[in-house]
Amino acid sequence: MDFEFVELGGDAFAFQHKADGKMLAEITWTRLADVMVMDHTYVSESLRGQGVAKKLLDRAADFAREKGYKMEAVCSYVVTAFERYKEYDDVKA
């Protein structure tokens, strides 16, 4: 599954997956200096239970590593994932 990097305006960004013009999956953040404030994760019902939210977070974490950013968890999914998985420890703000 490919995720497109999208500038939402101002300091807001996202990785999105769309099909036929419909949003199927998205993770969004606001960048404050070198911190990505992770504020929203969405996965359509048709894709739930398939690990798509984690794939979105993995992509965002890879982006943070590429740019030298840290990530602050605000979105409930990201908060839970940061608690559950140690693989994000290097990018936690």
Side-chain angles (χ1 to χ4, degrees):
M1 179 175 292
D2 291 326
F3 301 114
E4 179 185 1
F5 176 76
V6 178
E7 295 183 28
L8 301 174
D11 292 327
F13 303 90
F15 281 108
Q16 300 175 338
H17 176 71
K18 293 180 180 178
D20 298 323
K22 288 183 65 176
M23 180 70 64
L24 298 179
E26 174 181 58
I27 192 165
T28 65
W29 67 92
T30 301
R31 188 170 56 85
L32 301 175
D34 63 349
V35 177
M36 295 165 63
V37 180
M38 308 307 295
D39 53 24
H40 178 69
T41 304
Y42 167 76
V43 177
S44 69
E45 272 196 42
S46 65
L47 294 176
R48 290 185 190 159
Q50 300 177 39
V52 174
K54 185 165 186 320
K55 290 175 186 173
L56 280 166
L57 181 55
D58 288 347
R59 182 62 192 98
D62 287 344
F63 180 82
R65 291 178 185 109
E66 291 165 13
K67 299 292 187 181
Y69 296 158
K70 294 294 184 180
M71 300 171 81
E72 180 180 336
V74 174
C75 161
S76 61
Y77 174 77
V78 179
V79 168
T80 300
F82 275 13
E83 292 170 356
R84 183 175 295 161
Y85 304 109
K86 297 295 179 202
E87 66 198 72
Y88 303 114
D89 286 355
D90 66 315
V91 292
K92 287 183 189 176

